[in-house]
Amino acid sequence: MIPRIHQQGSNTLGLLHYLYGKGTHEEHIDPHLVASFDGMAPDPGRDPAVTKRDLQHLLDQPLSLLDAGRRPDKHVWHCSVRAAPGDPILSDEQWGDIARRMVAATGIDPGDGAGCRWAAVRHADDHIHIIATLVREDGRRPDHHRSGKRAQAECRLIEKELGLHQVAPGDGTAAKRATSAERHKAERTGRERPAREELREAVRRAVAGATSEEEFFDRLAAAGLLIRKRVAPSGDLLGYKVALPDDRNGEKEPVFYAGSTLAPDLSLPRIRERWTLPAEAAAWADGSRPEQPTLPDVTGPAFAQRRATAATWQALLIIDHGDAGAAAAQIAAAGEILDALAKTSAAQTRAELREAAFVFERASRSHVKAARDLVHSGPALGRGEDGATTAMLIDMAFFLAIAAANWHAKKHHSQQAQAARQAAEHLRAAYQVAAHEPMAALGQRGRRMAPRVRQRQADLLHQVLPELAERIRAEAGWPALAATLDDARRAGHDPAALLTDAARRRELDSAASISDVLVWRLRRSAHLPALPESSHDTPARGSRRQGLSAPTRQSPPSAVNDAGRRR
């Protein structure tokens, strides 16, 4: 159940016309009162002898207790309360009780006999609107400070008592949602989304990878946004606003939004924090942490994705074993990596990655250098080594999102935990697309290996992971894992040691495809190309290496099925 306190207004009759009207899309059906301050307010919805002006006069009578100069300019209080889509339809009596609880909890009518006058109108099955006049019967103003938080807390109690869907408690960190007016304006002007949401995403893209204020504002300008900077008399920059060039108000002027109104972490002070990293994050970002890999000789997006994958693994270690501050910094860093990954990814994974970055915003707070590498490396094409390193990075990002969700859950950060879990679902869907081709190619290489080579890898698997060996060999991804173990041996590594290390680093039982997980862990830790050239294939007995063809992009049925079961 979601309560929403709307901006205060000055036109009681105008709001009543909307509440009792047909709605902007004929959606208001049978508008009528379900409760009022005295239980006897006239109802222009059900009583043909009553007008909306009659109700307005009754609600606004306390204004006459004040001299004209003392009457508040904004005296109309408006709150809507909406049930969740899956909740049962409540009766008028139940909605009336909810309205009385809301005005009591918010201080509009606390039950002392002299509260504000109010009325609750229902014009749909799933919500009500409460209108009140912000002058009490005794002429004083109501104590409705922080009425939004009070309303949220009361709704949490109502949900439990009525057995409704329980919304996670708010924590004040969510980005402000577009208003009804903004959504309707977007529909009128043919926009897919409200201007606020377009601007929020554009600013996030500009932040991702920026190393300074100058670069940040250059990116905003390059994205075509209008920018206004707030400068102190001393010349110091205090804040900024942005607007879409074609988003205009009634006076044909651009509609500007301050960064802080787009999202709490997009204010200029919060953005500046991204360039002042905690010690743990700074060490990770500049590459001074131990175990930094010598990466394969690749360039461009694939190289940047390998660096980001290594950085994400370091973040996982810190989340698991670091203190609270360091863990929070690394969860924050993941937010920008997802922003950058969504910005640079190939078309087939872009939609899911954008959604993952959008919802993970609730779990993130600060940012580091790994994302800058992705942004500056340019767009990814999603093929060959590029596509395989994308799958590798998404695989690691999935685990990071799960780790972030678990960390937040332990800290009782319910909003952030839920956001991280939602991001993990989008990452899982993106992985299925990104991993389809590279896993199919690796699987084909594994199936083409000589029987004695395949048996050697099977024996190694039983030796290192006896409890999981049969399950792994039954998976469609086993040939890809066998090929990876053989690649590691050919590169001079000890496959048994690598496999032991990969298996113990994080649990495997919950993975839908253990083979997939181990493939990417092994290829990352052994610094193997994510998708080797076909010339590295192991020939079957009696075949000649020169005669082998490149891996086909047509995935066999088994690989397709495995991708569908991912995680």
Side-chain angles (χ1 to χ4, degrees), residues 396-438:
M396 192 65 72
F398 172 87
F399 275 105
L400 184 63
I402 293 298
N406 293 338
W407 186 86
H408 278 304
K410 291 178 181 177
K411 298 292 183 181
H412 305 292
H413 304 160
S414 55
Q415 293 273 1
Q416 286 88 341
Q418 182 180 9
R421 285 191 290 267
Q422 290 175 337
E425 290 304 308
H426 289 293
L427 288 167
R428 172 163 46 190
Y431 172 85
Q432 292 171 0
V433 175
H436 181 95
E437 179 183 333

Side-chain angles (χ1 to χ4, degrees), residues 4 29 53 85 152 156 219 256 263-264 311 314 316-317 319 356 391 471 473 485 487 489 531 534:
R4 182 180 177 191
I29 301 172
R53 190 172 292 277
Q152 290 281 358
R156 304 295 81 79
R219 287 175 176 273
F256 281 87
Q314 296 294 337
L316 273 168
L317 296 178
I319 293 171
R471 173 181 169 183
R473 291 190 64 188
L485 289 168
D487 285 344
R489 180 186 64 81
L531 188 62
S534 59

Side-chain angles (χ1 to χ4, degrees), residues 181-385:
E182 290 170 348
R183 290 194 297 272
H184 293 155
K185 181 180 180 181
E187 293 176 5
R188 289 197 311 272
T189 56
R191 291 187 181 278
E192 292 184 3
R193 295 179 295 163
R196 179 189 300 275
E197 295 180 3
E198 288 190 30
L199 287 168
R200 182 183 300 132
E201 182 173 341
V203 173
R204 288 203 183 285
R205 288 198 300 265
V207 170
T211 58
S212 65
E213 286 183 15
E214 182 179 5
E215 184 179 0
F216 168 61
F217 285 111
D218 285 347
R219 287 175 176 273
L220 291 179
L225 304 188
L226 304 179
I227 307 168
R228 281 184 182 171
K229 298 180 181 180
R230 186 161 61 92
V231 181
S234 63
D236 294 333
L237 182 61
L238 301 179
Y240 73 98
K241 294 181 178 181
V242 290
L244 296 172
D246 57 350
D247 181 35
R248 305 276 170 158
N249 59 20
E251 287 71 40
K252 306 300 181 182
E253 296 176 346
V255 180
F256 281 87
Y257 294 81
S260 59
T261 65
L262 296 176
D265 65 331
L266 294 182
S267 67
L268 187 59
R270 296 296 296 276
I271 290 174
R272 282 170 172 160
E273 291 176 5
R274 301 165 188 246
W275 301 309
T276 306
L277 303 178
E280 285 275 8
W284 170 36
D286 65 16
S288 62
R289 292 193 60 84
E291 299 184 13
Q292 293 298 313
T294 302
L295 299 176
D297 185 18
V298 292
T299 58
F303 181 79
Q305 288 159 355
R306 292 294 297 246
R307 285 179 61 92
T309 302
T312 304
W313 172 250
Q314 296 294 337
L316 273 168
L317 296 178
I318 293 173
I319 293 171
D320 283 346
H321 306 295
D323 61 31
Q330 302 315 308
I331 292 172
E336 188 163 339
I337 288 179
L338 291 181
D339 288 339
L341 185 56
K343 180 178 180 179
T344 60
S345 65
Q348 62 265 33
T349 55
R350 191 173 303 142
E352 290 292 351
L353 291 174
R354 285 176 63 180
E355 286 299 316
F358 177 77
V359 297
F360 195 80
E361 177 269 331
R362 292 304 309 279
S364 62
R365 292 296 178 267
S366 64
H367 300 256
V368 297
K369 183 175 180 292
R372 299 171 200 160
D373 290 342
L374 286 176
V375 172
H376 291 288
S377 70
L381 300 178
R383 299 189 297 271
E385 178 73 6

